[in-house]
Amino acid sequence: MPHVAPASSTHPKASGVPIQIPSLSHPSPVQLSLVIPTYNEASSIGSLIRQLCAHLDAILPGAYELIVVDDNSPDYTAKLAQELQEEFPQLKVICRQGERGLATAVLRGWQVARGEVLGVMDGDLQHPPEIVLKLWPLMQRGADLVVGSRYVESGGVSHWNLGRRLVSRGAQAIGLVLLPGVFRRVSDPLSGLFLVRRQAIAGIPLSPKGYKLLIEVLARGRVTTIAEVGYIFQERQNGESKIQLQTCLQYLHHLIHLRFSLGQVGSFLRFSTVGLSGTVVDMVLLYLLHDPDNLGWDLITSKLIASEVAILNNFLWNDLWTFRHVTRLQPGLLNRLKRLVKFNVICLIGLFLNSSLVILLTERLGIHYLLANLIAIGIVVFWNFYLNSKLSWKSAEVKLDPRGDKS
Ligand code: GDD
Ligand code: MN
């Protein structure tokens, strides 16, 4: 009996609803689940499945599954795929009704997948099936993400004309401007061919729009170790590309959405907001310690204590909130302590600048000490943000060389 999962109403249909991939509740015999999204790929699906099974049987016998996710193609791709299930029991077929979209189709496949590693490959043979033989070993060597790339050694495109190359490079350039932190991580962030460790994305709400799932994974996933494998993007032999103007608009929408939700614009704003909370802590404490109506301690002691408490307050919020996109990749108490030490040193130097400014402004210019404090904090926040984003919360990324060791 062929295994066909019809579209089910428990899955979100609206494209805007974030989708989550579950963790595996118990160990699975399946190591790799490779999803093949299809829309009108009847002419290539048979050949692709055959080739993939032949290659994967050689390296992962009995430990992989292929999942075709078809959007009810009028050319009966799903039916053809179902007919292959008798010969290839490791093949699942999902036929979505009333839904379209490459990235959400892939996520639907990953939602039902049982593998520790999740992957995607186009259904039109433009990704050479034998590339799995190069992708998988890198996963075994510990990568969180292995990307098939057109832009590294032994990668390329077959016979693209100048126009097509320009569009592809242009799309990448826009991405680099809008999301440099995401697009600089790999040479081919628009690739539709990659494997990712389930744990890197499990439980994280993903909201891709249109085609480009990899940028979503790079932007939101817990991905630290990345490897790239060159491949030649083949000419389409059958059928046609589904890219339309709408796909390009979805791409832009996706980038802008990611830009805002990741808060790369936001990290300075968040840092400043946290700084503001620290300023309140600092001012209130300074007032309590230094003001003659309260403890009446000397200015320098009061300022040092007030500032150190503010530094601790700021560290906590920055670590949990401002730079959470960095800290989630570097969990653990030891990492947090390292960040705290760096942050504290940078801020103490900042505090020295701050205090010097306060003294200068109060003693030389006769400005009220609270106002002087406010001015000094305003100046030192830039120093603090710049150095801390470069040193305390820098992203720790490992590149896995396809031939050698970690670099
Ligand atoms: N289920 C489903 N639903 N599948 C779809 C849909 C859809 O709405 N649209 C496209 N697909 C399937 C196609 O049938 C094909 O198997 C695959 O997704 C890629 O679509 P193409 O239309 O052939 O895209 P392309 O050749 O222009 O570009 C592809 O290759 C690039 C280079 O690696 C895409 O996969 C890009 O994401 C990729 O970067
Ligand atoms: Mn294609």
Side-chain angles (χ1 to χ4, degrees):
M1 183 60 200
H3 177 128
V4 186
S8 111
S9 56
T10 56
H11 292 291
K13 286 216 168 175
S15 58
V17 181
I19 300 169
Q20 289 191 34
I21 305 305
S23 295
L24 286 176
S25 47
H26 41 79
S28 165
V30 179
Q31 292 183 50
L32 169 66
S33 299
L34 187 63
V35 168
I36 301 153
T38 57
Y39 193 74
N40 286 343
E41 304 296 358
S43 45
S44 32
I45 192 70
S47 165
L48 173 65
I49 300 292
R50 266 170 224 291
Q51 292 185 54
L52 275 176
C53 287
H55 293 307
L56 289 170
D57 280 343
I59 53 170
L60 278 168
Y64 71 93
E65 62 183 357
L66 301 180
I67 306 174
V68 168
V69 185
D70 186 73
D71 284 350
N72 206 15
S73 306
D75 75 349
Y76 299 112
T77 308
K79 189 164 171 286
L80 260 177
Q82 285 157 24
E83 284 164 11
L84 291 164
Q85 289 180 304
E86 216 155 309
E87 189 181 344
F88 303 106
Q90 65 275 49
L91 173 63
K92 283 183 181 163
V93 181
I94 296 174
C95 189
R96 300 198 300 178
Q97 313 283 330
E99 274 177 280
R100 276 297 304 274
L102 170 50
T104 56
V106 177
L107 288 178
R108 173 64 61 81
W110 287 355
Q111 282 184 310
V112 303
R114 294 170 301 152
E116 299 282 356
V117 171
L118 307 169
V120 53
M121 178 181 272
D122 285 355
D124 55 7
L125 288 169
Q126 288 192 277
H127 296 154
E130 63 275 13
I131 198 74
V132 292
L133 300 176
K134 290 190 180 170
L135 299 173
W136 178 251
L138 286 159
M139 219 63 217
Q140 281 179 307
R141 279 182 42 208
D144 298 314
L145 174 73
V146 183
V147 180
S149 168
R150 295 165 288 179
Y151 305 121
V152 291
E153 203 185 308
S154 70
V157 289
S158 7
H159 296 106
W160 282 14
N161 59 34
L162 187 65
R164 185 122 191 238
R165 282 172 206 261
L166 282 178
V167 169
S168 177
R169 286 300 197 171
Q172 199 165 338
I174 295 172
L176 267 172
V177 171
L178 283 178
L179 290 167
V182 173
F183 274 68
R184 276 209 208 100
R185 299 186 76 184
V186 291
S187 64
D188 193 358
L190 304 183
S191 174
L193 170 65
F194 60 93
L195 308 182
V196 61
R197 207 164 285 286
R198 177 190 289 269
Q199 272 322 308
I201 53 168
I204 297 175
L206 301 170
S207 349
K209 303 180 185 351
Y211 261 46
K212 301 303 174 186
L213 182 56
L214 178 57
I215 49 179
E216 189 76 7
V217 169
L218 281 169
R220 301 188 198 272
R222 293 173 282 260
V223 171
T224 39
T225 308
I226 302 180
E228 297 186 79
V229 173
Y231 80 95
I232 307 281
F233 191 70
Q234 304 297 309
E235 283 300 295
R236 215 181 221 283
Q237 300 301 332
N238 299 294
E240 55 193 32
S241 169
K242 279 86 206 174
I243 289 192
Q244 305 163 339
L245 179 63
Q246 193 200 0
T247 323
C248 304
L249 297 178
Q250 278 171 331
Y251 173 66
L252 286 177
H253 181 194
H254 191 191
L255 293 185
I256 292 166
H257 180 85
L258 263 179
R259 169 100 210 197
F260 280 102
S261 69
L262 280 185
Q264 302 217 354
V265 198
S267 53
F268 182 72
L269 288 180
R270 287 197 297 269
F271 189 82
S272 308
T273 310
V274 169
L276 218 57
S277 82
T279 306
V280 174
V281 171
D282 189 305
M283 296 280 265
V284 169
L285 263 181
L286 185 64
Y287 173 70
L288 291 178
L289 299 176
H290 178 63
D291 203 90
D293 291 344
N294 298 307
L295 290 180
W297 293 359
D298 71 279
L299 184 58
I300 293 179
T301 313
S302 308
K303 173 65 191 165
L304 276 173
I305 295 175
S307 301
E308 183 57 34
V309 175
I311 286 174
L312 293 175
N313 167 81
N314 290 6
F315 175 77
L316 207 68
W317 293 114
N318 282 326
D319 209 58
L320 295 175
W321 183 51
T322 312
F323 295 104
R324 64 190 185 280
H325 54 288
V326 178
T327 53
R328 70 160 190 242
L329 299 175
Q330 298 160 34
L333 191 64
L334 191 67
N335 281 329
R336 177 162 293 175
L337 276 176
K338 282 187 199 161
R339 294 192 293 268
L340 174 61
V341 170
K342 286 186 199 167
F343 181 76
N344 220 324
V345 169
I346 291 167
C347 290
L348 282 176
I349 299 172
L351 177 59
F352 174 75
L353 296 176
N354 194 327
S355 314
S356 311
L357 274 170
V358 171
I359 290 166
L360 190 84
L361 294 174
T362 47
E363 291 185 0
R364 294 282 161 84
L365 301 178
I367 296 176
H368 188 268
Y369 72 93
L370 285 179
L371 180 62
N373 193 28
L374 203 63
I375 296 171
I377 288 172
I379 294 171
V380 170
V381 70
F382 287 100
W383 152 276
N384 278 348
F385 178 74
Y386 181 76
L387 281 185
N388 277 309
S389 55
K390 289 274 171 270
L391 299 174
S392 310
W393 285 285
K394 69 171 190 296
S395 57
E397 188 157 292
V398 185
K399 287 266 180 188
L400 209 59
D401 190 307
R403 292 149 308 187
D405 265 337
K406 290 181 181 187
S407 63

Short mmCIF file of all heavy atoms in Angstrom, two decimals, residues 9-48:
data_model
loop_
_atom_site.label_atom_id
_atom_site.label_comp_id
_atom_site.label_asym_id
_atom_site.label_seq_id
_atom_site.Cartn_x
_atom_site.Cartn_y
_atom_site.Cartn_z
N SER A 9 -5.39 19.25 7.61
CA SER A 9 -5.82 20.56 8.08
C SER A 9 -5.08 21.00 9.33
O SER A 9 -5.21 22.11 9.78
CB SER A 9 -7.32 20.52 8.37
OG SER A 9 -7.54 19.47 9.28
N THR A 10 -4.25 20.08 9.91
CA THR A 10 -3.52 20.50 11.10
C THR A 10 -2.33 21.38 10.74
O THR A 10 -1.72 21.98 11.60
CB THR A 10 -2.98 19.28 11.88
OG1 THR A 10 -2.18 18.53 10.99
CG2 THR A 10 -4.08 18.43 12.44
N HIS A 11 -1.98 21.45 9.47
CA HIS A 11 -0.84 22.28 9.08
C HIS A 11 -1.33 23.65 8.65
O HIS A 11 -2.37 23.78 8.03
CB HIS A 11 -0.09 21.63 7.93
CG HIS A 11 0.59 20.37 8.35
ND1 HIS A 11 1.67 20.36 9.20
CD2 HIS A 11 0.33 19.08 8.06
CE1 HIS A 11 2.06 19.12 9.40
NE2 HIS A 11 1.25 18.32 8.73
N PRO A 12 -0.54 24.68 9.00
CA PRO A 12 -0.96 26.02 8.63
C PRO A 12 -0.98 26.19 7.12
O PRO A 12 -0.05 25.74 6.45
CB PRO A 12 0.11 26.91 9.25
CG PRO A 12 1.29 26.03 9.49
CD PRO A 12 0.76 24.65 9.66
N LYS A 13 -2.02 26.81 6.61
CA LYS A 13 -2.09 27.02 5.16
C LYS A 13 -1.64 28.41 4.79
O LYS A 13 -1.04 28.61 3.76
CB LYS A 13 -3.53 26.80 4.69
CG LYS A 13 -3.89 25.32 4.67
CD LYS A 13 -4.80 24.99 3.52
CE LYS A 13 -4.86 23.47 3.39
NZ LYS A 13 -5.78 23.02 2.40
N ALA A 14 -1.95 29.38 5.66
CA ALA A 14 -1.59 30.74 5.32
C ALA A 14 -0.07 30.85 5.30
O ALA A 14 0.61 30.34 6.18
CB ALA A 14 -2.16 31.69 6.35
N SER A 15 0.47 31.52 4.26
CA SER A 15 1.91 31.53 4.11
C SER A 15 2.59 32.30 5.24
O SER A 15 3.76 32.10 5.52
CB SER A 15 2.29 32.12 2.76
OG SER A 15 1.74 33.42 2.67
N GLY A 16 1.85 33.20 5.89
CA GLY A 16 2.47 34.02 6.92
C GLY A 16 2.67 33.31 8.26
O GLY A 16 3.41 33.79 9.10
N VAL A 17 2.03 32.16 8.45
CA VAL A 17 2.11 31.50 9.75
C VAL A 17 3.46 30.80 9.89
O VAL A 17 3.82 29.99 9.04
CB VAL A 17 0.97 30.46 9.90
CG1 VAL A 17 1.05 29.78 11.27
CG2 VAL A 17 -0.37 31.14 9.71
N PRO A 18 4.22 31.10 10.95
CA PRO A 18 5.52 30.44 11.09
C PRO A 18 5.36 28.93 11.26
O PRO A 18 4.36 28.45 11.80
CB PRO A 18 6.09 31.05 12.37
CG PRO A 18 5.32 32.28 12.63
CD PRO A 18 3.96 32.05 12.03
N ILE A 19 6.34 28.21 10.75
CA ILE A 19 6.31 26.74 10.79
C ILE A 19 7.47 26.27 11.67
O ILE A 19 8.57 26.80 11.57
CB ILE A 19 6.46 26.18 9.36
CG1 ILE A 19 5.31 26.69 8.49
CG2 ILE A 19 6.53 24.66 9.36
CD1 ILE A 19 5.50 26.42 7.00
N GLN A 20 7.21 25.27 12.51
CA GLN A 20 8.28 24.73 13.35
C GLN A 20 8.54 23.27 13.04
O GLN A 20 7.61 22.51 12.82
CB GLN A 20 7.90 24.85 14.82
CG GLN A 20 7.93 26.29 15.32
CD GLN A 20 7.82 26.37 16.83
OE1 GLN A 20 8.33 25.51 17.54
NE2 GLN A 20 7.18 27.43 17.30
N ILE A 21 9.80 22.91 13.05
CA ILE A 21 10.18 21.52 12.86
C ILE A 21 10.36 20.91 14.25
O ILE A 21 11.09 21.46 15.07
CB ILE A 21 11.52 21.43 12.08
CG1 ILE A 21 11.41 22.20 10.75
CG2 ILE A 21 11.92 19.98 11.84
CD1 ILE A 21 10.28 21.79 9.86
N PRO A 22 9.71 19.77 14.52
CA PRO A 22 9.83 19.20 15.86
C PRO A 22 11.17 18.50 16.08
O PRO A 22 11.82 18.09 15.13
CB PRO A 22 8.68 18.18 15.89
CG PRO A 22 8.45 17.81 14.47
CD PRO A 22 8.82 19.01 13.64
N SER A 23 11.56 18.37 17.35
CA SER A 23 12.70 17.51 17.68
C SER A 23 12.24 16.07 17.55
O SER A 23 11.04 15.80 17.56
CB SER A 23 13.15 17.73 19.12
OG SER A 23 13.62 19.02 19.28
N LEU A 24 13.17 15.14 17.48
CA LEU A 24 12.78 13.72 17.45
C LEU A 24 12.52 13.27 18.88
O LEU A 24 13.34 13.50 19.76
CB LEU A 24 13.91 12.88 16.84
CG LEU A 24 14.07 13.00 15.33
CD1 LEU A 24 15.28 12.19 14.88
CD2 LEU A 24 12.82 12.54 14.60
N SER A 25 11.36 12.64 19.10
CA SER A 25 11.04 12.25 20.47
C SER A 25 11.81 10.99 20.88
O SER A 25 12.08 10.77 22.04
CB SER A 25 9.54 12.04 20.63
OG SER A 25 9.06 11.26 19.57
N HIS A 26 12.16 10.15 19.92
CA HIS A 26 12.98 8.98 20.24
C HIS A 26 13.95 8.74 19.08
O HIS A 26 13.73 9.19 17.96
CB HIS A 26 12.11 7.74 20.50
CG HIS A 26 10.95 7.63 19.55
ND1 HIS A 26 11.08 7.14 18.28
CD2 HIS A 26 9.65 8.00 19.68
CE1 HIS A 26 9.91 7.18 17.67
NE2 HIS A 26 9.03 7.71 18.49
N PRO A 27 15.05 8.02 19.37
CA PRO A 27 16.07 7.80 18.33
C PRO A 27 15.46 7.18 17.08
O PRO A 27 14.57 6.33 17.16
CB PRO A 27 17.04 6.82 18.99
CG PRO A 27 16.78 6.90 20.44
CD PRO A 27 15.36 7.32 20.62
N SER A 28 15.91 7.64 15.94
CA SER A 28 15.32 7.18 14.69
C SER A 28 16.33 6.39 13.87
O SER A 28 17.51 6.73 13.85
CB SER A 28 14.86 8.41 13.90
OG SER A 28 14.61 8.07 12.57
N PRO A 29 15.88 5.33 13.20
CA PRO A 29 16.81 4.60 12.33
C PRO A 29 17.16 5.42 11.08
O PRO A 29 18.13 5.13 10.39
CB PRO A 29 16.01 3.35 11.96
CG PRO A 29 14.57 3.72 12.14
CD PRO A 29 14.53 4.76 13.22
N VAL A 30 16.35 6.43 10.82
CA VAL A 30 16.59 7.26 9.63
C VAL A 30 17.61 8.33 9.96
O VAL A 30 17.43 9.11 10.89
CB VAL A 30 15.28 7.93 9.15
CG1 VAL A 30 15.54 8.80 7.94
CG2 VAL A 30 14.23 6.88 8.84
N GLN A 31 18.71 8.35 9.20
CA GLN A 31 19.72 9.40 9.45
C GLN A 31 19.48 10.61 8.57
O GLN A 31 19.70 11.74 8.98
CB GLN A 31 21.11 8.83 9.20
CG GLN A 31 21.51 7.79 10.23
CD GLN A 31 22.94 7.31 9.99
OE1 GLN A 31 23.86 8.09 9.85
NE2 GLN A 31 23.09 6.00 9.93
N LEU A 32 19.04 10.36 7.35
CA LEU A 32 18.87 11.49 6.41
C LEU A 32 17.47 11.46 5.80
O LEU A 32 17.03 10.42 5.29
CB LEU A 32 19.91 11.38 5.28
CG LEU A 32 19.72 12.30 4.08
CD1 LEU A 32 19.90 13.76 4.48
CD2 LEU A 32 20.69 11.95 2.96
N SER A 33 16.79 12.60 5.87
CA SER A 33 15.51 12.76 5.17
C SER A 33 15.70 13.82 4.10
O SER A 33 15.94 14.99 4.42
CB SER A 33 14.42 13.24 6.13
OG SER A 33 14.22 12.31 7.17
N LEU A 34 15.63 13.41 2.85
CA LEU A 34 15.86 14.36 1.76
C LEU A 34 14.52 14.70 1.10
O LEU A 34 13.83 13.81 0.58
CB LEU A 34 16.82 13.75 0.74
CG LEU A 34 17.29 14.68 -0.37
CD1 LEU A 34 18.08 15.85 0.19
CD2 LEU A 34 18.15 13.91 -1.39
N VAL A 35 14.16 15.97 1.16
CA VAL A 35 12.89 16.41 0.58
C VAL A 35 13.10 16.89 -0.85
O VAL A 35 14.08 17.58 -1.16
CB VAL A 35 12.27 17.53 1.44
CG1 VAL A 35 11.12 18.20 0.70
CG2 VAL A 35 11.78 16.96 2.77
N ILE A 36 12.19 16.51 -1.71
CA ILE A 36 12.24 16.94 -3.11
C ILE A 36 10.93 17.67 -3.41
O ILE A 36 9.87 17.05 -3.52
CB ILE A 36 12.38 15.72 -4.05
CG1 ILE A 36 13.67 14.96 -3.69
CG2 ILE A 36 12.38 16.13 -5.52
CD1 ILE A 36 13.62 13.49 -4.03
N PRO A 37 10.97 19.01 -3.48
CA PRO A 37 9.76 19.75 -3.79
C PRO A 37 9.49 19.67 -5.29
O PRO A 37 10.42 19.77 -6.09
CB PRO A 37 10.12 21.19 -3.40
CG PRO A 37 11.60 21.27 -3.59
CD PRO A 37 12.15 19.88 -3.33
N THR A 38 8.25 19.42 -5.66
CA THR A 38 7.97 19.33 -7.10
C THR A 38 6.71 20.10 -7.48
O THR A 38 5.73 20.13 -6.75
CB THR A 38 7.75 17.87 -7.55
OG1 THR A 38 6.68 17.31 -6.78
CG2 THR A 38 8.99 17.02 -7.39
N TYR A 39 6.78 20.72 -8.63
CA TYR A 39 5.59 21.24 -9.28
C TYR A 39 5.76 21.00 -10.78
O TYR A 39 6.66 21.57 -11.39
CB TYR A 39 5.36 22.72 -8.98
CG TYR A 39 3.98 23.15 -9.39
CD1 TYR A 39 2.87 22.78 -8.62
CD2 TYR A 39 3.78 23.85 -10.57
CE1 TYR A 39 1.59 23.11 -9.02
CE2 TYR A 39 2.50 24.19 -10.97
CZ TYR A 39 1.41 23.81 -10.19
OH TYR A 39 0.13 24.13 -10.59
N ASN A 40 4.98 20.11 -11.31
CA ASN A 40 5.10 19.72 -12.73
C ASN A 40 6.49 19.21 -13.08
O ASN A 40 7.17 19.76 -13.95
CB ASN A 40 4.72 20.89 -13.65
CG ASN A 40 3.21 21.11 -13.66
OD1 ASN A 40 2.45 20.23 -13.25
ND2 ASN A 40 2.79 22.26 -14.13
N GLU A 41 6.93 18.19 -12.38
CA GLU A 41 8.23 17.58 -12.69
C GLU A 41 8.06 16.12 -13.09
O GLU A 41 8.95 15.30 -12.87
CB GLU A 41 9.19 17.68 -11.49
CG GLU A 41 9.44 19.07 -10.96
CD GLU A 41 10.14 20.03 -11.92
OE1 GLU A 41 10.48 19.62 -13.05
OE2 GLU A 41 10.30 21.20 -11.55
N ALA A 42 6.93 15.80 -13.73
CA ALA A 42 6.67 14.41 -14.10
C ALA A 42 7.79 13.85 -14.97
O ALA A 42 8.14 12.67 -14.88
CB ALA A 42 5.32 14.31 -14.84
N SER A 43 8.40 14.70 -15.80
CA SER A 43 9.40 14.18 -16.74
C SER A 43 10.73 13.85 -16.07
O SER A 43 11.55 13.16 -16.67
CB SER A 43 9.60 15.18 -17.87
OG SER A 43 9.72 16.48 -17.33
N SER A 44 10.98 14.36 -14.87
CA SER A 44 12.28 14.04 -14.28
C SER A 44 12.20 13.25 -12.97
O SER A 44 13.21 12.68 -12.55
CB SER A 44 13.11 15.31 -14.06
OG SER A 44 12.30 16.40 -13.77
N ILE A 45 11.03 13.20 -12.35
CA ILE A 45 10.97 12.65 -10.99
C ILE A 45 11.43 11.18 -10.93
O ILE A 45 12.18 10.80 -10.02
CB ILE A 45 9.55 12.84 -10.37
CG1 ILE A 45 9.57 12.53 -8.88
CG2 ILE A 45 8.49 12.02 -11.06
CD1 ILE A 45 10.31 13.53 -8.07
N GLY A 46 11.05 10.38 -11.94
CA GLY A 46 11.41 8.96 -11.92
C GLY A 46 12.91 8.78 -11.96
O GLY A 46 13.50 8.07 -11.14
N SER A 47 13.54 9.47 -12.91
CA SER A 47 14.98 9.34 -13.06
C SER A 47 15.70 9.84 -11.81
O SER A 47 16.67 9.23 -11.33
CB SER A 47 15.42 10.14 -14.30
OG SER A 47 16.78 10.32 -14.31
N LEU A 48 15.22 10.94 -11.24
CA LEU A 48 15.85 11.50 -10.04
C LEU A 48 15.79 10.51 -8.87
O LEU A 48 16.80 10.25 -8.19
CB LEU A 48 15.17 12.82 -9.66
CG LEU A 48 15.62 13.43 -8.33
CD1 LEU A 48 17.08 13.84 -8.39
CD2 LEU A 48 14.77 14.65 -7.97
#
